[in-house]
Amino acid sequence: MAGPGVSEPIYNRMLMKKTVSKPVANPAIKQSPKARRSAAAVAIAAPPVVHHPITLSVDIGGTGIKMMVLDPEAKPLSDRIRSLTPSDPSPERVLAVLEDMRAQLPNFDRVSVGFPGVVKNGMTIAAHNLSPKWAEFPLQETLAKLWDKPVIVANDASVQGYGAIFGKGVELCLTLGTGLGSSLFTEGHLCPGLELAHHPWRKGETYEDFLGLRGLDKYGKKKWNKLVQKAIAQTAQLFNWDYLHLGGGNAKHISFELDKNMRIVPNQEGLLGGVALWRNEVPLIEAKA
């Protein structure tokens, strides 16, 4: 065999193609049932090699909680499972749902969590679409102790953004769900702290008042679509973004034509971003330590 970096001579390859032939089964030779079973057992493919680290990716939403297990390339190793967010979504009730869902999935090495609110250093500062009890709750530390695994908790729109972005130029991600999520990236790097949802926009009300689920229910799909278009134009002037990624459960209600530098991303990317979260956030965490 040729050594590393050395091509095998063309002549040898041609010779092998000419001289090596496939064995032809002799129909006169009959195999016993035991031999056939043995041959079938050998033919069964070996289980695929699973590479580590394996990430449990969690997406906590105002109406639903999703989980999936991912390999290092963000390829699913399990189905995506979903449970309803408790009607009284206190930390205790949400943690109970998370524990029940975790028990349904295979083993993992680390955890990524997208949380629908402000998160700083793994602590949830506020969650307008969950419960006031999430104020200054140590979610990252709590899950690390509960599951005995390293955990990173970040804003859900940031995690979805990591799964959606191209890593080029200025990219804005908006998630249209129970509320409004937002994340901004430059050359693939997150600009932390953006909370567009609660910024005053029109008539003393916020972006989320118009574009979240309450706005969709209040104004109906037709007017809501016009409001989304106006918000897109406003953010383009504000951030001068090169690409816009629209996600969340209500993005499916968008009925207007998008420009070439805009796209609707599937909800699953909110989970796939869990691997990129580790790749991008761990160096920042270690730098602060």
Side-chain angles (χ1 to χ4, degrees), residues 188-199:
H189 299 288
L190 176 68
C191 302
L194 177 65
E195 189 66 31
L196 188 64
H198 307 294
H199 190 278

Side-chain angles (χ1 to χ4, degrees), residues 228-243:
V228 172
Q229 285 181 287
K230 289 180 179 179
I232 288 173
Q234 185 71 55
T235 61
Q237 293 177 353
L238 182 61
F239 299 113
N240 292 298
W241 41 259
D242 299 299
Y243 302 101

Side-chain angles (χ1 to χ4, degrees):
M1 181 179 289
V6 180
S7 299
E8 187 177 349
I10 296 175
Y11 173 78
N12 289 350
R13 293 203 299 271
M14 293 174 63
L15 186 62
M16 288 177 65
K17 286 181 182 178
K18 290 181 179 179
T19 57
V20 178
S21 57
K22 261 187 164 181
V24 180
N26 187 343
I29 300 176
K30 294 184 178 180
Q31 288 184 319
S32 67
K34 183 177 180 180
R36 285 197 297 271
R37 286 195 299 271
S38 299
V42 172
I44 295 175
V49 176
V50 177
H51 298 284
H52 294 262
I54 296 171
T55 304
L56 173 65
S57 191
V58 182
D59 183 11
I60 301 173
T63 55
I65 300 173
K66 283 85 70 179
M67 275 189 189
M68 180 184 283
V69 175
L70 306 169
D71 74 4
E73 302 300 320
K75 294 177 181 177
L77 294 175
S78 73
D79 291 334
R80 188 193 78 154
I81 62 173
R82 185 182 188 277
S83 291
L84 292 175
T85 303
S87 55
D88 175 19
S90 65
E92 293 76 17
R93 286 174 176 255
V94 171
L95 285 169
V97 174
L98 293 176
E99 176 62 11
D100 179 66
M101 294 175 71
R102 180 207 61 82
Q104 303 174 45
L105 293 172
N107 293 332
F108 51 90
D109 304 310
R110 62 189 187 183
V111 184
S112 296
V113 181
F115 180 81
V118 180
V119 178
K120 288 190 175 181
N121 300 318
M123 181 175 288
T124 60
I125 305 302
H128 295 273
N129 294 303
L130 291 180
S131 163
K133 294 180 181 179
W134 285 99
E136 298 187 0
F137 183 80
L139 180 58
Q140 184 168 293
E141 180 183 347
T142 301
L143 287 176
K145 289 180 179 178
L146 179 64
W147 293 338
D148 194 27
K149 303 289 183 184
V151 178
I152 296 181
V153 176
N155 174 266
D156 57 346
S158 299
V159 180
Q160 177 152 21
Y162 275 128
I165 61 172
F166 304 126
K168 298 178 181 179
V170 179
E171 300 180 77
L172 178 66
C173 302
L174 297 177
T175 56
L176 303 163
T178 306
L180 172 71
S182 56
S183 56
L184 185 68
F185 296 80
T186 59
E187 302 298 336
H189 299 288
L190 176 68
C191 302
L194 177 65
E195 189 66 31
L196 188 64
H198 307 294
H199 190 278
W201 184 34
R202 298 162 60 88
K203 301 177 182 179
E205 294 190 289
T206 66
Y207 280 89
E208 183 169 281
D209 290 329
F210 289 99
L211 306 182
L213 183 59
R214 291 189 303 274
L216 178 60
D217 291 340
K218 179 179 179 180
Y219 298 109
K221 291 181 183 179
K222 186 176 180 179
K223 187 172 181 180
W224 179 83
N225 267 273
K226 291 181 179 179
L227 289 166
V228 172
Q229 285 181 287
K230 289 180 179 179
I232 288 173
Q234 185 71 55
T235 61
Q237 293 177 353
L238 182 61
F239 299 113
N240 292 298
W241 41 259
D242 299 299
Y243 302 101
L244 175 66
H245 309 276
L246 298 165
N250 289 329
K252 64 179 177 286
H253 298 305
I254 290 176
S255 58
F256 55 89
E257 187 175 351
L258 298 177
D259 292 342
K260 291 181 179 180
N261 60 341
M262 307 175 190
R263 71 182 187 118
I264 295 175
V265 298
N267 256 346
Q268 187 164 305
E269 293 195 2
L271 291 168
L272 302 184
V275 172
L277 180 68
W278 274 92
R279 185 168 60 247
N280 289 275
E281 293 297 310
V282 168
L284 298 178
I285 294 171
E286 292 174 343
K288 293 178 182 177

